[in-house]
Amino acid sequence: MIVTLIVMCEVGFWVLLAAGLAARYLLRMPRTGLALLLCEPLLEVVLLVVTAVDLKNGADPSWEHGLAALYIGYTGGHGHRTVKWLDGHAAHRLAGGPPPVKPPRYGMARARHEGKVWLGSALAAAVATALLLLAIRYVGPDGNTESLRAWIWTAWRAAGIHGLIALSYALWPKKAPADKASAIPARDPEHVPDLAVRRPGKDEEQV
């Protein structure tokens, strides 16, 4: 039941997102679109309530309850960034807005960007951990909570792996290709490579 509800919440997330963006930019109904987008957190609330009720009714804590906590945590850590990214693309393609700013690809700017994304993963792990600890306390010492504790380790292991990947961009910054560097416009013609500027020939110099 919990797994089915997680799938329904995931599908509902994308349905509400598509409906909200369509209302904002296709139907020109920004308030309705915003209301639909604000309904998305309700999906996580429903999932949280159903999970708690399932445990209260005597269900043994299992991987399904842990997966529900991780799903809610992921939405809390990365949901806003996902919605913002898709909203920028929808505004550009459907409403003639400016193209969304692409994240940096090279150097320390890329490292800082990856660090910000990792903070979302750390927040997701923290939210999932808080929910799992509440579930463990709710079940009590007499219940079998090993599966819930295992999901806490899973959440922070995933955040740790993501953190190492993000850190690698700071330790070994990705360098821009040579042609990217040479594409920077120069202020004076003499600063431009010879192949990019037409030099006067000998006949032209004699004129």
Side-chain angles (χ1 to χ4, degrees):
M1 175 182 176
I2 300 298
V3 175
T4 302
L5 186 59
I6 293 175
V7 174
M8 293 176 61
C9 287
E10 179 67 16
V11 173
F13 174 85
W14 292 105
V15 169
L16 285 175
L17 181 58
L21 295 178
R24 292 187 69 179
Y25 299 114
L26 291 180
L27 302 179
R28 299 295 190 271
M29 301 170 64
R31 292 184 178 179
T32 301
L34 180 61
L36 290 171
L37 293 177
L38 291 178
C39 286
E40 291 183 346
L42 295 178
L43 298 175
E44 278 64 49
V45 174
V46 171
L47 179 59
L48 179 61
V49 171
V50 171
T51 303
V53 171
D54 192 42
L55 291 172
K56 185 176 182 179
N57 290 337
D60 292 331
S62 64
W63 64 271
E64 298 172 351
H65 302 96
L67 181 62
L70 256 66
Y71 175 81
I72 296 173
Y74 179 85
T75 304
H78 293 286
H80 178 267
R81 184 171 56 86
T82 302
V83 172
K84 183 178 180 181
W85 181 79
L86 290 174
D87 183 71
H89 282 273
H92 172 58
R93 295 181 180 275
L94 302 179
V101 180
K102 294 183 179 180
R105 299 177 58 186
Y106 308 105
M108 293 306 297
R110 173 68 182 272
R112 287 190 292 269
H113 170 74
E114 295 295 335
K116 292 180 181 178
V117 176
W118 174 78
L119 289 177
S121 295
L123 176 61
V127 171
T129 299
L131 294 176
L132 290 168
L133 290 176
L134 287 175
I136 292 172
R137 183 176 180 181
Y138 180 78
V139 173
D142 297 333
N144 183 11
T145 59
E146 291 300 324
S147 60
L148 298 180
R149 297 181 187 276
W151 278 105
I152 295 178
W153 161 247
T154 300
W156 286 106
R157 181 174 59 181
I161 294 174
H162 188 186
L164 291 176
I165 296 174
L167 182 61
S168 67
Y169 285 96
L171 297 178
W172 300 284
K174 189 176 181 181
K175 297 182 179 180
D179 56 342
K180 295 288 184 179
S182 63
I184 301 177
R187 296 181 179 180
D188 301 314
E190 59 266 25
H191 295 159
V192 181
D194 294 340
L195 295 179
V197 179
R198 181 175 177 270
R199 299 295 186 182
K202 294 183 178 180
D203 294 338
E204 294 176 348
E205 293 176 351
Q206 296 175 357
V207 175

